[in-house]
Amino acid sequence: TLDKIWAMCDELIEEHQRNGFLGEFAPTIASTGRAFAGTADRVIATAELTEELVNNGDGLKPVENVEVNVSVTNPRNVPFDAELSVVARTLDGRQVNGVVPVTVPVPAGATITRTLRVTAPPVIKEGFRVALESRNRDLFGTDLVIRPRRVLNVKDVPATFTLNLHGFPAVEAEIAKLEGNRLGFTFTVQDSNITIDRAEPWAKSSLELFFRQSASSPIKQIFLLPAPKGGTPVALAAGKPLQEITGFEMTQEWEPLSYTLKVVAPRELLGLSATSDKFLFDFYARLTALGEAHSGGITRLGGKQNSHVNSDTFAQIAS
């Protein structure tokens, strides 16, 4: 496997370093073959909204400014003064306000977070970005992209969405608000060859759900593993190791070219507050075989592949 190949490469690089053949190319980041210096020792600055902006159905509701948490992580063994410029820009990069300079002293190996208020563009219907910029090449800032979220309202009736794969219908989904601080999910998936891997659920037939109470909350990542006909579906919480979730009610039905998985889950097991009327959500579906096709693939509600660490493209569930 690729992991074993990288392990062999790491051992080879370490042995060459130990014998002085690689000069300044040391130490190395495991499983990459890249030098630590200039790569893994860069100071990283990120930004997140302290509170979600209101989506009024026609884009983002205008606001004068936004409040963001700017976090700076220093992986080095010495302190670092992070000098940043915080700038609001349109999605095509045009600056729309003055520069907000900020200096964040960060101790060695630490992460420091500061809350800043940034002037928003006068028109934010389609969204905008908060850029973290620096002239210091040792400091890397990632932009915060703010866009209108897709809203799925489950307050009075269940919300539905459909996903295609390779241009063909792949998933029909329904989300419902239930009594007792529970949520109900129904997924009909056109996977005609269910194969699962409990050790690496992302490699075979699976449904992957992401929940986040707000933009500043942890992301809860859950795998739903459908079962071949006659079997029992399983829910796994992401982590090392994966942990089976026993508090879900799960039932499954089978058709020749598809399956339907129904799940009832307490909000607390999804990392959600029982009192909040909205949360963020994303969904992936992996199919071994799409209907009568011999191959499958993956389709995503938000369209991006890094939802375990970034909720920019999550939908908002309103209840």
Side-chain angles (χ1 to χ4, degrees), residues 154-304:
V154 301
K155 182 177 181 181
D156 299 316
V157 296
T160 62
F161 63 87
T162 60
L163 299 178
N164 291 342
L165 180 62
H166 309 316
F168 296 94
V171 180
E172 294 181 2
E174 179 181 284
I175 305 175
K177 179 182 178 181
L178 305 178
E179 295 180 352
N181 292 321
R182 300 178 302 163
L183 293 170
F185 303 87
T186 301
F187 303 107
T188 298
V189 184
Q190 304 300 315
D191 190 345
S192 58
N193 182 26
I194 301 172
T195 59
I196 62 171
D197 185 338
R198 287 193 57 153
E200 297 182 348
W202 51 86
K204 300 290 185 178
S205 300
S206 64
L207 307 179
E208 196 169 351
L209 284 64
F210 303 87
F211 301 89
R212 197 174 200 184
Q213 186 60 67
S214 68
S216 58
S217 303
I219 296 174
K220 183 76 171 183
Q221 180 183 9
I222 294 172
F223 293 95
L224 302 179
L225 274 58
K229 190 170 184 178
T232 302
V234 175
L236 301 173
K240 294 183 179 180
L242 295 161
Q243 297 287 338
E244 183 171 349
I245 303 173
T246 58
F248 288 4
E249 300 174 20
M250 302 178 65
T251 59
Q252 186 174 342
E253 300 173 355
W254 296 266
E255 296 292 341
L257 299 179
S258 66
Y259 68 86
T260 297
L261 183 62
K262 297 182 179 181
V263 181
V264 175
R267 285 177 177 252
E268 63 183 50
L269 294 183
L270 305 177
L272 303 175
S273 167
T275 58
S276 177
D277 62 354
K278 58 186 177 182
F279 60 90
L280 305 180
F281 172 77
D282 202 7
F283 171 82
Y284 299 173
R286 293 177 180 82
L287 289 70
T288 300
L290 176 59
E292 295 181 339
H294 295 291
S295 62
I298 181 171
T299 181
R300 303 175 176 92
L301 176 62
K304 299 294 184 180

Side-chain angles (χ1 to χ4, degrees), residues 13-28 35 37:
I13 292 171
E14 288 174 6
E15 187 64 25
H16 278 69
Q17 287 173 339
R18 190 177 297 112
N19 290 280
F21 294 125
L22 297 182
E24 297 180 356
F25 192 75
T28 301

Side-chain angles (χ1 to χ4, degrees), residues 87 113 126 137 170 191 310:
V87 187
T113 299
E126 300 299 327
R137 296 180 61 182
D191 190 345
N310 190 309

Side-chain angles (χ1 to χ4, degrees), residues 143-160:
D143 291 359
L144 167 64
V145 180
I146 303 168
R147 298 180 184 272
R149 294 192 186 277
R150 178 177 182 177
V151 178
L152 300 173
N153 196 321
V154 301
K155 182 177 181 181
D156 299 316
V157 296
T160 62

